[in-house]
Amino acid sequence: IDNKRYNADYLSRPTQAAAEANGELSHTDASHLVIGDAAHPENGRFLTAELAGLGAGPKAAELDRVVIAVASGSPVAATGSTQAVIEFSGEVNGIKVKTAFARIREQASAYSIEDYAAICGVDAARITDLAREFTSHGHKASCEMYRGVVKHPNGYYNAVAVLLLNLLVGNMNWT
């Protein structure tokens, strides 16, 4: 993430229609704003059009979510944007928010590559080289999980991590 080896264009498409218009097979919630205020009753949930002061949205999961439109830099309902900002941290209608991608970046940056290497028992240079190789092939690269990684007490979280790698390079649903 620090080296911007993720597929920002793919991650910036907030709806299926926006993704398909850009030749993608799927979209993500990377650009959707998440409430990050412990005192707010909706803390940790996606910001809705109504909470953002945009009026009542359609109240259907992704359709009511808010993003920051690339074109205007203003908050809009996800359905009103063909491309949205993936790195945003600030306030919308007095509510502290961050994009889902900004939250992922924050969590991934909790440790240095050397810390992760020590935890895994793998050389940091090897991790960096593998990351560079994996992110060099666009839709032709993928991580697969089978048995071992998910048949573990942390299996669910391991699966989420594997899927997140595929998501970051933009190859969800590609053959």
Side-chain angles (χ1 to χ4, degrees):
I1 292 174
D2 286 345
N3 292 308
K4 299 190 184 307
R5 304 281 300 185
Y6 49 86
N7 187 335
D9 191 55
Y10 167 72
L11 296 171
S12 71
R13 306 301 168 161
T15 63
Q16 187 63 30
E20 289 173 3
N22 195 48
E24 294 291 350
L25 300 177
S26 63
H27 71 286
T28 76
D29 61 10
S31 62
H32 297 206
L33 298 177
V34 179
I35 298 170
D37 183 350
H40 196 281
E42 298 289 323
N43 184 46
R45 295 184 182 263
F46 288 108
L47 183 68
T48 62
E50 189 170 8
L51 287 173
L54 300 173
K59 303 293 182 207
E62 85 178 34
L63 303 178
D64 193 39
R65 295 179 184 170
V66 176
V67 298
I68 304 295
V70 167
S72 67
S74 299
V76 296
T79 53
S81 180
T82 57
Q83 190 172 21
V85 172
I86 62 170
E87 296 244 25
F88 178 83
S89 180
E91 287 191 9
V92 172
N93 201 26
I95 301 170
K96 292 178 187 174
V97 294
K98 291 180 184 175
T99 59
F101 182 81
R103 291 173 58 112
I104 290 170
R105 173 189 284 284
E106 233 173 51
Q107 290 301 306
S109 299
Y111 298 97
S112 70
I113 191 70
E114 290 76 21
D115 293 334
Y116 284 119
I119 291 166
C120 297
V122 177
D123 185 61
R126 185 167 186 192
I127 293 171
T128 302
D129 290 345
L130 182 58
R132 186 177 304 106
E133 177 67 20
F134 178 71
T135 59
S136 295
H137 302 286
H139 295 141
K140 294 180 181 180
S142 95
C143 281
E144 182 58 59
M145 62 187 137
Y146 182 73
R147 299 178 93 177
V149 73
V150 294
K151 291 185 93 176
H152 183 278
N154 296 326
Y156 172 81
Y157 300 104
N158 294 341
V160 169
V162 168
L163 291 172
L164 186 57
L165 290 173
N166 289 322
L167 185 87
L168 289 172
V169 296
N171 71 354
M172 296 302 279
N173 296 337
W174 288 91
T175 301

